[in-house]
Amino acid sequence: VTSVSEKECNAWQRRRAVKELFPILKDDMHCLKWKPEFLAELRVQKLERLASQEFKPDDMRDLYDRKLYEQQNDYLWTVLLRVFDNDMGRMCIDATMATRNAHEAYLQHEDMQEASYRQRYTSGELLEELVNFHLEDFNGTRMSFLKEWYNKYYRLNELGGKTYDYEFVHSNLQ
């Protein structure tokens, strides 16, 4: 009888991995645009747990789950070597080069990006973009405009840690 973790490990070994599908982050200030695409590709390639703060590899007790983690970590390490073409990414790769711990490198990159002055600069750009985004200048339907406006709004809230309230939304959509 084959365990679930053994089946997952065997399936991982048979998969067709394509590193080229991961977007490359060339500049730290583009991290906000890069991250959703990167995380989506992680999900498709069944690697999302390695990008989670809650994931604790040291707590793994199952032999096959541990083996699966090691294989996924090795693969994600090679992916990060390719996609972290930015200053902070290279710093994280250098810091974890001895252990080649992709999970740690990714989380370090996340922490550095969170604290980055470029993130604050990007939030200012997003706010300006949102304030200057008007229906009369938009080529598309009213519904696609609203969808695009709210996507920008949510990205801004996610980035800034600040929630713009009803008055902000109301005044900008009039």
Side-chain angles (χ1 to χ4, degrees):
V1 176
T2 311
S3 69
V4 171
S5 57
E6 186 177 359
K7 288 178 184 177
E8 288 175 356
C9 187
N10 291 337
W12 174 261
Q13 291 172 340
R14 290 189 305 271
R15 90 212 179 299
R16 184 176 183 278
V18 184
K19 290 179 219 163
E20 291 74 27
L21 295 177
F22 285 94
I24 295 175
L25 179 59
K26 294 194 178 289
D27 193 325
D28 294 314
M29 67 186 265
H30 298 295
C31 189
L32 278 180
K33 294 176 185 170
W34 168 84
K35 185 178 174 182
E37 294 175 32
F38 181 78
L39 292 176
E41 191 57 39
L42 281 179
R43 275 190 295 284
V44 168
Q45 295 200 29
K46 309 288 188 231
L47 294 163
E48 65 270 12
R49 70 179 181 168
L50 296 181
S52 170
Q53 293 276 358
E54 289 79 38
F55 179 63
K56 306 288 184 226
D58 295 335
D59 294 344
M60 299 169 73
R61 300 291 172 243
D62 184 278
L63 176 65
Y64 287 103
D65 200 27
R66 185 76 191 167
K67 183 178 177 183
L68 174 61
Y69 160 71
E70 289 169 359
Q71 292 171 351
Q72 288 176 330
N73 184 71
D74 290 345
Y75 173 66
L76 184 57
W77 178 257
T78 63
V79 168
L80 293 180
L81 288 174
R82 182 179 175 281
V83 302
F84 279 170
D85 195 20
N86 59 325
D87 294 336
M88 288 185 197
R90 284 188 291 275
M91 287 171 51
C92 294
I93 292 295
D94 291 345
T96 54
M97 187 61 82
T99 61
R100 297 181 188 269
N101 186 331
H103 177 66
E104 183 181 335
Y106 179 78
L107 294 180
Q108 277 183 11
H109 187 262
E110 284 290 295
D111 292 342
M112 289 176 77
Q113 286 291 342
E114 283 285 320
S116 169
Y117 71 92
R118 288 184 179 168
Q119 288 285 27
R120 288 188 290 278
Y121 175 74
T122 303
S123 76
E125 284 181 332
L126 278 174
L127 180 58
E128 183 179 345
E129 188 178 315
L130 187 61
V131 168
N132 294 324
F133 191 64
H134 301 289
L135 180 59
E136 54 270 2
D137 303 327
F138 183 74
N139 293 330
T141 66
R142 184 175 294 223
M143 288 304 292
S144 60
F145 168 79
L146 288 172
K147 180 181 175 188
E148 183 69 25
W149 193 93
Y150 274 102
N151 282 337
K152 292 174 187 292
Y153 171 72
Y154 288 127
R155 279 195 355 238
L156 178 63
N157 280 335
E158 182 180 279
L159 173 66
K162 176 181 178 182
T163 302
Y164 292 95
D165 57 10
Y166 171 78
E167 286 79 24
F168 175 83
V169 173
H170 182 72
S171 68
N172 279 282
L173 285 178
Q174 284 188 340

